[in-house]
Amino acid sequence: TGLKPYMMPNCLNVLPDISIGTLETRAGSIIMGQLPSKLPCKFLLTFNKTDGGSIVLVSDGATLWSTADFRTYSSKKTGLTATAVMSACVVRNKVWLTNGVNAVMTYDSADTLVVLDGTGALPDVPKGYYIMFCQERVWIAKTSALSSVIYFSALNDASGNPIAPDNDVAWPAVNALNCDQDDGDSIFGIIAYLGTPFIFKSKSVGAVTGSDEYSYGYQRVMSNIGTRF
């Protein structure tokens, strides 16, 4: 190309010697991973769908997006409480999301988000801070009003027919367990271990005993040891 040695440092956006003795223009760069709001990401979950594909749900707290490549984002829900912390789990090929303030939401493999706020034929699911899936039920713990209560979905309706956890009758008020509500503590986390729901407080750990809504109970299994995860 006839370039002098001293001219090479002045070349920008090129790749030298891809083919010997030539310069080729760079293709440029693409910003990936930055949310549309340009705010820090506070929530991220990869949803692996049954068709083998996957989608990622991300949020800055106030808005929830879906993205497949961290370059193109689709807004799923706006107006969320920015200071609330999102918690989520996958339930029967749907993502359930809750933050303890706004209504619980589900997101499915068809890219559809549903707000479970009790309107129409939708259940009014407790607005809890923590959520998990165990024993084929959705468990939600700690609301702003009741910090030591865990709620669980029903498996059947009043006629004994199997129902999904987002069925409009899946959350009767009686499906709730008090977890040492008078101990001056609060629930700070829940996990499923060996098919049993465990409840974590700052100074104790408890477990759900029993096998159905007629036999469920709460039993403390550790005292003076807890967590705030």
Side-chain angles (χ1 to χ4, degrees):
T1 58
L3 289 176
K4 304 297 183 184
Y6 62 83
M7 298 177 68
M8 184 61 73
N10 296 324
C11 293
L12 301 175
N13 298 320
V14 295
L15 296 170
D17 293 329
I18 297 300
S19 298
I20 297 175
T22 65
L23 290 177
E24 296 184 14
T25 303
R26 285 183 179 273
S29 61
I30 298 173
I31 296 176
M32 297 180 64
Q34 180 172 271
L35 299 184
S37 65
K38 297 181 173 56
L39 295 174
C41 181
K42 295 182 178 180
F43 169 81
L44 185 150
L45 181 140
T46 300
F47 176 34
N48 295 312
K49 300 184 289 185
T50 55
D51 62 3
S54 64
I55 197 82
V56 180
L57 297 177
V58 293
S59 176
D60 61 2
T63 303
L64 179 73
W65 294 274
S66 65
T67 179
D69 56 11
F70 292 96
R71 293 164 55 187
T72 303
Y73 294 82
S74 174
S75 176
K76 298 291 102 183
K77 181 66 176 176
T78 61
L80 300 173
T81 302
T83 55
V85 179
M86 190 77 73
S87 178
C89 68
V90 177
V91 179
R92 299 180 185 177
N93 203 35
K94 293 182 180 180
V95 180
W96 282 59
L97 306 107
T98 185
N99 65 7
V101 181
N102 305 114
V104 176
M105 304 173 288
T106 63
Y107 174 83
D108 63 21
S109 57
D111 198 36
T112 302
L113 186 131
V114 177
V115 179
L116 305 180
D117 56 4
T119 60
L122 298 172
D124 188 11
V125 180
K127 300 174 184 176
Y129 289 91
Y130 308 105
I131 187 170
M132 69 177 177
F133 186 55
C134 183
Q135 300 179 3
E136 290 301 313
R137 303 176 191 265
V138 177
W139 300 76
I140 295 178
K142 186 182 180 180
T143 63
S144 58
L146 297 169
S147 62
S148 291
V149 174
I150 186 168
Y151 304 86
F152 54 92
S153 62
L155 297 180
N156 306 94
D157 62 17
S159 300
N161 301 308
I163 57 175
D166 53 359
N167 186 281
D168 63 337
V169 297
W171 293 88
V174 295
N175 280 20
L177 287 175
N178 289 312
C179 306
D180 285 345
Q181 69 269 30
D182 297 323
D183 63 355
D185 204 348
S186 177
I187 295 174
F188 286 100
I190 56 176
I191 64 168
Y193 179 66
L194 297 179
T196 298
F198 282 83
I199 298 94
F200 291 83
K201 291 188 162 187
S202 65
K203 299 181 180 67
S204 66
V205 180
V208 174
T209 60
S211 58
D212 55 33
E213 51 264 61
Y214 306 106
S215 60
Y216 279 146
Y218 174 81
Q219 180 178 351
R220 181 184 290 200
V221 295
M222 297 183 72
S223 297
N224 299 320
I225 296 176
T227 186
R228 283 177 179 249
F229 70 84

